[in-house]
Amino acid sequence: MEQLVAQIEQYKKEISQVTVANAADVEAFRIKYLGTKGLVKTIMGEMKSVDADKKREAGQLLNEFKIYVEARFEEIRNIGEEHSVATTAVDLSLPGADLPLGARHPISIIQNKIIQIFHRLGFAVAEGNEIEDDWHNFSALNLPENHPARDMQDTFYISQNPDWLLRTHTSSVQIREMQKGVLPLRIICPGRVYRNETISARAHCFFNQVEGLYIAENVSFADLKQTLYFFVQEMFGKDVKVRFRPSYFPFTEPSAEMDISCLICGGEGCSVCKKTGWVEILGCGMVHPKVLENCGIDPNKYTGFAFGMGIERITMLSYQIKDLRLFSENDTRFLQQFTPATS
Ligand code: DAH
């Protein structure tokens, strides 16, 4: 019995001094002390050599020893886990790994820039629906049914309802805004539009436009020209030349198209400007009195101008992009190249 007490004391001392550095050390401790051939099991076997009258006392002693070893094992296991976390986990003091950053789409960059330029002239943004009815997209804009100018824009109709279509231009938004009857009105309407066109480097079945509209008393063509001169200078820089050509749109009278000197060749003539030195960027004109009437506005009191441009065209000129399809292919090699244009 005395021997047993002395031995247990010695083992306890030994066990209290065990240190572990990793999971393998923890496992070695388990096998050595608590395994099937481990020390606890072996020392339990000593019971048989203890005198009969001391067996109770010895049993208690051995049991306490077993509990001690198990408790120590728990401690050691926790220490082992802490060590392995410390050696394999992230060092929180290091700078984080880079997350791939997205970039704004070039169309969004240019659209925002256009909005900002007109914002400085007091134009507010108005938005409408991509699914429109025939009246807002055509009839109210002085394009009654069977009007030949409807063929200028190949339209996607919605099969469930022949009166519904995908808007072919954002001019439908000017109708909705004029109908609200709050004058004067000074808005730009950015948005996606749809036309049934064969997809090529220069055309797509969907693209983006910005429509502008200013209705007040005494608005003249001179106001229109001044507004667009300002826009071109802010958008493309002071050296760019501008010219107006007479044109036809059913919703404006008179109507014009505006060209700027080619940014690619500087007016010398190249493939982008088809050797003319000029590139068309928008259509415009004085709002037709019939359109005002259709929206409940008195054309004898109010006049206004309107213009409409394709954002893709402006973006292609700003960044010298030659194929319109790149905008909708979602190729990140293309998309990651754009930072806001600064001219
Ligand atoms: N809506 C025309 C188009 O999509 C563009 C346009 C031309 C809009 C002249 C206008 C305008 O407001 O006055 O082709």
Side-chain angles (χ1 to χ4, degrees):
M1 184 65 195
E2 267 165 34
Q3 246 185 345
L4 194 64
V5 171
Q7 218 171 24
I8 285 178
E9 273 316 303
Q10 201 208 321
Y11 287 147
K12 271 190 171 175
K13 206 171 154 208
E14 180 188 316
I15 290 168
S16 72
Q17 286 167 0
V18 170
T19 57
V20 289
N22 50 40
D25 292 348
V26 175
E27 182 59 3
F29 179 96
R30 191 190 66 78
I31 294 168
K32 182 169 178 192
Y33 297 106
L34 293 167
T36 35
K37 288 179 189 158
L39 194 121
V40 172
K41 277 263 159 65
T42 319
I43 207 171
M44 289 288 190
E46 302 281 314
M47 273 288 276
K48 54 182 182 308
S49 40
V50 174
D51 294 342
D53 61 331
K54 298 277 183 192
K55 276 211 194 301
R56 221 172 142 243
E57 206 186 323
Q60 209 176 353
L61 197 67
L62 288 167
N63 228 6
E64 275 169 19
F65 177 61
K66 189 177 170 220
I67 290 168
Y68 169 80
V69 180
E70 283 170 351
R72 179 74 182 130
F73 175 63
E74 272 309 304
E75 251 176 53
I76 276 181
R77 199 161 56 176
N78 288 339
I79 296 170
E81 260 170 31
E82 272 168 29
H83 275 299
S84 62
V85 168
T87 49
T88 57
V90 198
D91 178 351
L92 295 178
S93 66
L94 287 173
D98 279 350
L99 284 179
L101 256 195
R104 240 182 241 295
H105 194 284
I107 297 288
S108 301
I109 294 173
I110 296 300
Q111 176 175 306
N112 288 344
K113 190 169 175 188
I114 296 171
I115 290 172
Q116 273 167 19
I117 293 170
F118 284 105
H119 187 76
R120 274 182 261 150
L121 295 175
F123 284 78
V125 170
E127 284 177 312
N129 314 326
E130 292 188 15
I131 295 180
E132 262 301 357
D133 55 45
D134 187 279
W135 193 78
H136 287 92
N137 193 80
F138 288 128
S139 303
L141 285 157
N142 201 25
L143 279 134
E145 227 174 295
N146 303 323
H147 192 291
R150 284 196 179 205
D151 296 342
M152 285 161 73
Q153 302 173 353
D154 248 331
T155 310
F156 286 116
Y157 286 91
I158 297 196
S159 49
Q160 284 96 324
N161 185 338
D163 193 42
W164 290 348
L165 46 86
L166 296 181
R167 67 179 177 195
T168 57
H169 50 188
T170 45
S171 305
S172 52
V173 185
Q174 60 166 273
I175 299 299
R176 290 191 175 274
E177 291 298 313
M178 284 194 283
Q179 280 182 302
K180 290 180 184 165
V182 184
L183 297 170
L185 180 61
R186 192 157 30 184
I187 48 163
I188 51 168
C189 319
R192 181 175 277 196
V193 302
Y194 301 83
R195 289 185 200 174
N196 192 0
E197 297 211 24
T198 310
I199 297 170
S200 72
R202 305 174 67 91
H204 211 291
C205 57
F206 58 80
F207 54 99
N208 295 272
Q209 286 190 331
V210 174
E211 167 96 11
L213 177 70
Y214 177 37
I215 309 277
E217 288 180 42
N218 302 318
V219 177
S220 70
F221 203 91
D223 297 320
L224 169 62
K225 285 174 87 174
Q226 215 49 51
T227 302
L228 294 178
Y229 283 146
F230 176 80
F231 165 68
V232 168
Q233 292 207 337
E234 292 296 304
M235 190 75 217
F236 299 110
K238 303 265 180 242
D239 299 334
V240 175
K241 293 194 198 69
V242 173
R243 76 175 185 189
F244 286 85
R245 280 179 292 104
S247 185
Y248 170 75
F249 298 103
F251 29 87
T252 44
E253 182 59 36
S255 303
E257 278 171 317
M258 192 179 86
D259 301 340
I260 59 167
S261 51
C262 181
L263 299 171
I264 312 285
C265 62
E268 299 280 300
C270 68
S271 65
V272 172
C273 61
K274 296 191 203 114
K275 306 250 183 286
T276 62
W278 295 96
V279 195
E280 182 213 317
I281 63 161
L282 56 82
C284 60
M286 300 306 292
V287 179
H288 198 293
K290 268 202 185 152
V291 174
L292 295 175
E293 261 170 26
N294 288 341
C295 300
I297 294 172
D298 180 359
N300 296 315
K301 186 167 179 211
Y302 291 100
T303 49
F305 65 70
F307 56 87
M309 66 184 110
I311 304 179
E312 275 77 356
R313 172 71 62 89
I314 308 285
T315 309
M316 290 169 90
L317 289 169
S318 299
Y319 292 115
Q320 317 214 337
I321 297 165
K322 297 228 171 83
D323 192 328
L324 191 117
R325 289 169 291 199
L326 286 165
F327 292 132
S328 48
E329 281 169 352
N330 273 340
D331 186 334
T332 50
R333 288 169 304 176
F334 170 73
L335 295 174
Q336 72 197 0
Q337 296 177 47
F338 299 93
T339 51
T342 49
S343 62

